[in-house]
Amino acid sequence: MPGNRIGSHSNCPIHSTQVKSISSVKGFFWKSKHRRKSSIPLDFSKISSLALKQICNEAERLQSFPLLSLAAALVPPFTKLSSNVLAVPLETSSIEAQRCIDQRPCEVESRGCGPCGELYFQNLDLSRNAVEHRTGIEFPTMLDNSISGESNSSFPPEVLVGTGSRTMTIIRIKSLKVYAFGFYVHPFDVCEKLGPKYASIPESELNKRQDFYQDLLRKDINMTLRLVVSCNGIKIKTVKDAFEKALRARLARTNPDADFRCLQTFGSMFPEDIPLNVGTTINIHRTADGHLITEIGGSQYGAVQSKDLCRAFFDMYIGDVPFVMMNTPANVCIVSWLILCSCLFSEIHADFDYQDALTKSIIFLEAQRSGKLPKNHRPSWRGDSALQDGKLANVDLVGGYYDAGDNVKYGLPMAFTVTTLSWAAIFYRSELQAAGEIENVRAAIRWGTDYFLKASSRRNHLYVEVGDPVKDHECWVGPENMKTPRTVLKIDQNTPGTEIAAETSAALTSASIAFRDADHTYSRRLLNRAKSLFSFAKTYKGTYDGECPFYCSYSGFNDELLWAATWLYTATRRSLYLDYILEEAVSSPVSEFSWDLKYAGAQILLTKLYFEGQKDLHTYNQQADSFVCSVLPDSPHHQVYISPGGLVHLRDGANSQYVTGTAFLFSVYSDILATHKQKVTCGNKKFDSVRLLDFAKQQMDYLLGKNPKGRSYMVGFGKNPPRQAHHRGASVPKIALAKVISCPMSFVYWYNKNVPNPNELTGAIVGGPDKQDNFEDLRTSSAMTEPTTYTNSLAIGVLAKLAKHHAQS
């Protein structure tokens, strides 16, 4: 049983110049022991023997080659330097090739798996730095603090693909070493966005393809230029002014309609008193969503969101008309080699059809409906069920949702499903409208709230469960044919259940906000009932164990009380609820958001209010940050286990609920941070909205198919989706309602058979793999194959976000 837990600031950056020497870096592959710390969702510890041969041959051939200096973006042309820096004219630098830093052959061990076998890289030390030979300056082979020791980067890991230096000759006598630089690219980005089009093209042919240059810029690939100053006297104002001039010309060429105000904003971000002493490190990052970010000496000084500016910046060095003309477009050699290497490591998928995944996620909720189904019901194999629910208690309890693969209606997870679904409808309303799904989401919410209005019709009474879980689990039949008892459980003054009453209050409150514009009368009705339930929850306190052992409250009821009060304050802005939050409520930093533990959700909602001016909520902002810090694998305060393939893993048994829960909160918090130009602080590191959304996307992409198994964990979606979901309705074929079914034999007929379900449970996100990314698609493996309503309700908001984000890009 899934419930059983036992078992930027929007503006611009920087400069321009010329180059010295470049070197390729071989051996950038991930060792498997580091994969848990890396956020790149690729299996870089495996490679086919054929791929290995191609890569080694390519690496040997490319031991030495010239490349235009990508560090030119950081120092202006020397003819423009202030006379205070150099008092005599300088000659143009020559371009010299530097040999491969590491020319050792690939060291592998064959494991013999599959037609080509699998090879594992051995003795690969990612902590070893690359040395730029002219200046002696070292560069980490990967910009990833978990491996290279970087302490302040909040950007995705990137691989060093080239180093170089700028040396100027003074009066043909003295050689002045001005700087060294390293050029880094996100390999997964390159492979994912350029691999499908270019990986199969020979390099000799690729060098002639002008569209490659444009795609490299247009596809918004994460890349970084790191410059290390090796002489004193360079002034930041000189660098800034030269860059503004060069970028203005490029912007005009690449997009005449670009907003040139970004250049002015960029200039305002660089105090003229920034020292550029020997050893000063300058990083310029381009993020996939169009941020150009500048770090100097470990501190971030500029963050500008302008894809035009990002493309103009790197167009100066990898465009078809580079700032410094080279004899050969060797930049193509580096990137084509990177594409070849990374694309042959594992099967790569392009961005998913998030719109389709969103639609199917909602369809799954329809398959979980109990009661009299509407005419527009989409899962054709489902029929009416449980039409006498509540009769034993002389109350109408028809409707609502079955929580997972059985036929019981549990109040606590059903309420959490409605709360989180309503949150998605509120926060991602425009995204759901753009996807054409807002009405389907509202219908899904109403299916739950209509039921809760019935279940709470008597004051200080709430019906919290319908069905006998023990008897239900002794029979494997669909809801249309079930004959098991429909026992009714309730809470009241004598048998309190604070968790369920408060969660139901939160569900009705959040739903009232979701319906405020669509159905004002219904919205007011929901809100009034929510207020009554909250009063009931905090007046008659006590934990209700009636839903154990399936939905026991392990966390207590303080989180639900805070959660409900937060939603009521959000809906009403009444001081009554704020006073409760500030004076009575209990909160705690956590690493989980689930049907049992709501603190993180409340903390993020309250952080939004804090950013909007409610400064007495500062503690909740700190706790929201703590949640993020505990999850991110590159945070100094990381606590949550991340599987080798990059998946959040808290528990075996419907673990995907924690994945979608984390992804949803990260997505919401990302938008809140972006709106208010804030960051999350984790010790000595800061993470921006881009990093949070990237992590949310990574988690959802894993479930949709970007994982070590290369398979989807959503039924009816993507490659090799689950076909044996642990679900009665999906696994049992349609049976005449009058037919008598033997419960013991039902397991023989439909449960224990290793065959696909006859009915597709479209959109269901199953429990998912274990902590080592292993998965078996067997109905009998309920921990891996059973879906839940709350897993999907948590996925809908982030899928809507990704669908719109993907459409815009």
Side-chain angles (χ1 to χ4, degrees), residues 523-538:
S523 172
R524 292 301 305 174
R525 185 184 177 199
L526 295 176
L527 184 58
N528 288 335
R529 187 65 56 84
K531 294 175 183 177
S532 176
L533 283 169
F534 179 70
S535 177
F536 170 46
K538 70 185 184 70

Side-chain angles (χ1 to χ4, degrees), residues 608-762:
K608 179 176 181 291
L609 299 176
Y610 168 73
F611 289 152
E612 291 172 353
Q614 198 77 49
K615 296 306 180 184
D616 43 5
L617 296 172
H618 176 62
T619 298
Y620 294 102
N621 170 227
Q622 292 177 321
Q623 292 174 341
D625 282 2
S626 176
F627 169 74
V628 172
C629 296
S630 71
V631 174
L632 283 177
D634 45 349
S635 161
H637 304 308
H638 170 65
Q639 297 177 16
V640 172
Y641 179 79
I642 305 294
S643 77
L647 188 71
V648 166
H649 193 281
L650 293 181
R651 297 176 186 87
D652 288 328
N655 180 69
S656 58
Q657 66 177 297
Y658 308 114
V659 178
T660 58
T662 300
F664 179 61
L665 289 196
F666 268 56
S667 179
V668 169
Y669 202 19
S670 169
D671 286 344
I672 293 172
L673 293 172
T675 298
H676 297 281
K677 301 179 176 61
Q678 299 291 325
K679 294 184 179 181
V680 171
T681 300
C682 303
N684 62 349
K685 297 193 63 178
K686 291 183 182 294
F687 298 98
D688 61 9
S689 61
V690 176
R691 178 69 179 97
L692 268 65
L693 182 58
D694 185 58
F695 187 79
K697 180 179 183 296
Q698 178 193 338
Q699 296 304 303
M700 295 307 301
D701 283 353
Y702 185 109
L703 294 177
L704 296 179
K706 194 174 290 183
N707 54 61
K709 297 296 182 182
R711 68 177 305 156
S712 167
Y713 293 109
M714 176 184 283
V715 177
F717 179 90
K719 180 182 177 182
N720 191 22
R723 288 175 170 79
Q724 290 195 42
H726 179 95
H727 190 275
R728 285 161 174 76
S731 60
V732 178
K734 282 190 175 183
I735 302 172
L737 296 179
K739 184 177 178 61
V740 177
I741 300 171
S742 166
C743 284
M745 291 304 296
S746 66
F747 289 89
V748 176
Y749 296 147
W750 305 302
Y751 178 75
N752 292 317
K753 288 188 175 180
N754 186 9
V755 295
N757 289 340
N759 307 312
E760 182 184 272
L761 192 61
T762 303

Side-chain angles (χ1 to χ4, degrees), residues 572-604:
T572 67
R573 290 300 196 269
R574 289 183 58 188
S575 60
L576 167 69
Y577 303 112
L578 179 61
D579 290 343
Y580 179 85
I581 292 167
L582 295 174
E583 299 171 10
E584 297 183 55
V586 175
S587 187
S588 175
V590 293
S591 303
E592 169 188 337
F593 180 58
S594 67
W595 62 264
D596 183 36
L597 194 57
K598 323 294 169 48
Y599 283 130
Q603 289 156 4
I604 287 175

Side-chain angles (χ1 to χ4, degrees), residues 349-355 700-702 704-706 717-718 806:
H349 301 270
D351 277 351
F352 297 98
D353 187 345
Y354 300 112
Q355 166 81 55
M700 295 307 301
D701 283 353
Y702 185 109
L704 296 179
K706 194 174 290 183
F717 179 90
H806 184 242

Side-chain angles (χ1 to χ4, degrees), residues 124-138:
L124 186 59
D125 185 4
L126 292 175
S127 65
R128 181 179 58 82
N129 292 336
V131 179
E132 196 289 308
H133 81 293
R134 286 188 171 271
T135 60
I137 292 175
E138 296 185 353

Side-chain angles (χ1 to χ4, degrees), residues 411-424 426 445 448-449 452 456 462 497-516 523 526-538 557-572 577 593-595 597-599 601-602 605:
L412 184 58
M414 191 193 305
F416 183 66
T417 297
V418 172
T419 308
T420 50
L421 191 60
S422 298
W423 193 359
I426 297 164
I445 295 169
T449 53
F452 289 132
S456 61
L462 178 65
T498 301
E499 293 93 338
I500 306 178
E503 182 60 58
T504 307
S505 172
L508 295 176
T509 305
S510 56
S512 76
I513 301 173
F515 281 104
R516 187 171 287 168
S523 172
L526 295 176
L527 184 58
N528 288 335
R529 187 65 56 84
K531 294 175 183 177
S532 176
L533 283 169
F534 179 70
S535 177
F536 170 46
K538 70 185 184 70
F557 52 67
N558 286 316
D559 56 321
E560 278 87 6
L561 286 172
L562 173 63
W563 178 236
T566 298
W567 277 110
L568 282 165
Y569 181 65
T570 300
T572 67
Y577 303 112
F593 180 58
S594 67
W595 62 264
L597 194 57
K598 323 294 169 48
Y599 283 130
L605 282 170

